[in-house]
Amino acid sequence: MSAVEIIGLAASVSLLAGWRLYLCVFAVGLAMHGGWVALPEQLRALDVLANPWVIGVAGAGAVAEFLADKVMWIDSAWDAVHTLIRPVGGALLALAIVDPSNPAWQVAVLLLGGGSALLTHGAKAGARAAVNASPEPFSNIAVSTGEDVLTGGLLVLALANPVAAVGIAALIALAALAALVMLRRLLRRLLRRTAQARPD
């Protein structure tokens, strides 16, 4: 596996961890434990994810996140709690993918993995807060289910094809940045309306 493919895989996994950390850990661990995904030699550090205890804890976390993420405002509370957890998890997942003998690579990937997970987490949390402002509950369920399907599908694709992982990472990063820009504009518009509506 080339350096570009390793970086793409590390970036994809950490970006996806910003959406669904527990699902990422559970899916990778289960695939490794069942032999569905044969990881190259460089990724042997991820073997710890195949431990039944790690799979069980990640599975319980994924179920809790799946349920919490479908309920309006509980999803935002869940996101607030995970503002620290997801970036750390994304950084550690990215760190497990790189060559452990090179400290410079480790530091760079640790920072980039944590930053990537924080980027997607911020876009997700902001978008979900905006969706929560709608009066009906169905949009929340639809967006959450879409995130579940997208995370699982992109994770499987990235693990199965490290070349595609580079494109997946770029696509997710661009989508997250676009979402943050749109949320910033929406927030500025709301603040402007609030200021105009305030009596002098």
Side-chain angles (χ1 to χ4, degrees):
M1 190 182 297
S2 71
V4 172
E5 291 172 337
I6 291 172
I7 291 170
L9 185 58
S12 294
V13 171
S14 58
L15 284 161
L16 290 170
W19 283 342
R20 296 284 192 270
L21 173 63
Y22 302 111
L23 179 61
C24 288
V25 173
F26 176 75
V28 173
L30 195 61
M32 292 176 69
H33 186 73
W36 305 325
V37 174
L39 293 176
E41 198 58 42
Q42 297 98 316
L43 305 184
R44 285 294 148 213
L46 288 175
D47 276 345
V48 70
L49 301 180
N51 181 301
W53 283 102
V54 174
I55 293 171
V57 169
V63 169
E65 184 166 55
F66 177 84
L67 296 173
D69 210 50
K70 303 293 183 284
V71 181
M72 192 168 29
W73 299 116
I74 291 178
D75 65 336
S76 292
W78 183 271
D79 285 340
V81 169
H82 284 80
T83 298
L84 268 176
I85 297 169
R86 285 182 185 146
V88 170
L92 293 175
L93 281 171
L95 184 62
I97 292 172
V98 300
D99 181 9
S101 65
N102 190 335
W105 263 105
Q106 288 182 330
V107 171
V109 169
L110 184 71
L111 293 173
L112 289 174
S116 298
L118 184 61
L119 171 71
T120 52
H121 168 73
K124 174 197 182 299
R128 296 307 291 281
V131 169
N132 283 338
S134 68
E136 43 78 29
F138 301 110
S139 57
N140 198 30
I141 294 169
V143 170
S144 177
T145 303
E147 288 171 359
D148 294 330
V149 171
L150 196 61
T151 301
L154 290 176
L155 182 63
V156 169
L157 181 61
L159 289 170
N161 187 350
V163 174
V166 176
I168 290 168
L171 185 67
I172 295 169
L174 287 174
L177 287 171
L180 287 172
V181 168
M182 287 189 314
L183 288 167
R184 180 176 175 261
R185 288 180 183 160
L186 178 66
L187 184 60
R188 288 175 71 184
R189 218 176 295 141
L190 288 172
L191 290 174
R192 202 175 305 127
R193 279 189 202 154
T194 304
Q196 290 171 351
R198 188 177 300 150
D200 291 332

